[in-house]
Amino acid sequence: MKRGFFVFLIPLMVLVSLCINQPSTKLASPTISISDVVSFLTEAKENLNKCNTTLKSPLSPQSDPAYLNITILNETILKVNGELYEYIVLGVQSVNFSGETSFKGYRITWSTPKNLTTTGGQRIDFKIYRESSLIGSLVYWYIPFQLDSYCVTIHTKSLKLPDEEITFVFMHTGEKDLWMVMAKNKY
């Protein structure tokens, strides 16, 4: 009886061990504190004032200083140019080149294809889903030497979705990044 029990127990332990050690296929939502975001924005403003050089922002639909003067009101609302926006932070300080989060009923995923640029840059593909349907996407090129040539860089990209418009904001200063998604607060 004892020998049969051990014969059964050993394969069960191996199976459980394999299941526990398997990497998760679900990407985790980032957990980010407001103080990290405020700290980043403060440092970006200080850097821009100190170096007194140009601010790179080829895609910005608003004036660049507006993004540096973002006022964080709480975990979900911020103010830009007197307008209230709902927002979610995708990454701050050292950002991850892959992840997944929920925002206003959308699921946003981002990932890096295996191929890199010859200069060490990353192509990051963002996809926006409503339920299981893909409703929007964009590509962001993260190219370190271009980012580091300026004190502060801000890239934005707005996407019109069926219900509203969302704006991706990518900021870089020094060796730190802030990625967020914003949508006008309708209330």
Side-chain angles (χ1 to χ4, degrees), residues 6 20 25 36 41 45 50 72 142 146 151 153 158 166:
F6 285 117
I20 290 172
T25 55
D36 288 338
L41 292 170
K45 283 186 253 188
K50 278 185 213 167
I72 304 294
Y142 185 90
Q146 286 184 344
C151 283
T153 63
S158 294
I166 64 173

Side-chain angles (χ1 to χ4, degrees), residues 90-97 142 175-178:
L90 306 179
V92 67
Q93 310 298 351
S94 291
V95 298
N96 288 319
F97 293 154
Y142 185 90
E175 294 182 5
K176 297 176 183 173
D177 296 275
L178 171 64

Side-chain angles (χ1 to χ4, degrees), residues 105-173:
Y106 302 107
R107 183 171 57 94
I108 301 171
T109 66
W110 60 102
S111 61
T112 306
K114 292 190 190 305
N115 58 335
L116 303 175
T117 66
T118 56
T119 58
Q122 302 277 343
R123 172 189 165 148
I124 303 158
D125 294 330
F126 288 86
K127 293 185 170 42
I128 299 94
Y129 297 89
R130 170 74 80 181
E131 296 169 359
S132 61
S133 299
L134 178 66
I135 59 169
S137 65
L138 68 97
V139 171
Y140 174 59
W141 290 95
Y142 185 90
I143 302 176
F145 77 87
Q146 286 184 344
L147 297 173
D148 292 336
S149 328
Y150 298 86
C151 283
V152 179
T153 63
I154 302 172
H155 294 243
T156 65
K157 176 69 176 170
S158 294
L159 290 177
K160 290 196 183 294
L161 302 177
D163 299 336
E164 65 196 316
E165 181 175 85
I166 64 173
T167 302
F168 284 76
V169 180
F170 305 99
M171 293 189 194
H172 179 85
T173 181

Side-chain angles (χ1 to χ4, degrees), residues 26-150:
K26 177 141 172 77
L27 301 169
S29 286
T31 55
I32 294 156
S33 73
I34 292 177
S35 62
D36 288 338
V37 177
V38 171
S39 171
F40 176 92
L41 292 170
T42 303
E43 186 176 328
K45 283 186 253 188
E46 289 170 359
N47 280 353
L48 190 60
N49 291 334
K50 278 185 213 167
C51 60
N52 200 16
T53 60
T54 57
L55 171 78
K56 181 182 179 188
S57 183
L59 304 175
S60 180
Q62 299 181 10
S63 62
D64 302 325
Y67 287 106
L68 290 180
N69 292 322
I70 284 174
T71 304
I72 304 294
L73 301 179
N74 58 42
E75 292 89 354
T76 59
I77 303 291
L78 57 78
K79 188 187 281 191
V80 182
N81 281 346
E83 298 272 350
L84 293 181
Y85 291 83
E86 292 179 61
Y87 78 99
I88 189 162
V89 176
L90 306 179
V92 67
Q93 310 298 351
S94 291
V95 298
N96 288 319
F97 293 154
S98 62
E100 177 179 306
T101 194
S102 295
F103 178 63
K104 294 181 61 90
Y106 302 107
R107 183 171 57 94
I108 301 171
T109 66
W110 60 102
S111 61
T112 306
K114 292 190 190 305
N115 58 335
L116 303 175
T117 66
T118 56
T119 58
Q122 302 277 343
R123 172 189 165 148
I124 303 158
D125 294 330
F126 288 86
K127 293 185 170 42
I128 299 94
Y129 297 89
R130 170 74 80 181
E131 296 169 359
S132 61
S133 299
L134 178 66
I135 59 169
S137 65
L138 68 97
V139 171
Y140 174 59
W141 290 95
Y142 185 90
I143 302 176
F145 77 87
Q146 286 184 344
L147 297 173
D148 292 336
S149 328
Y150 298 86

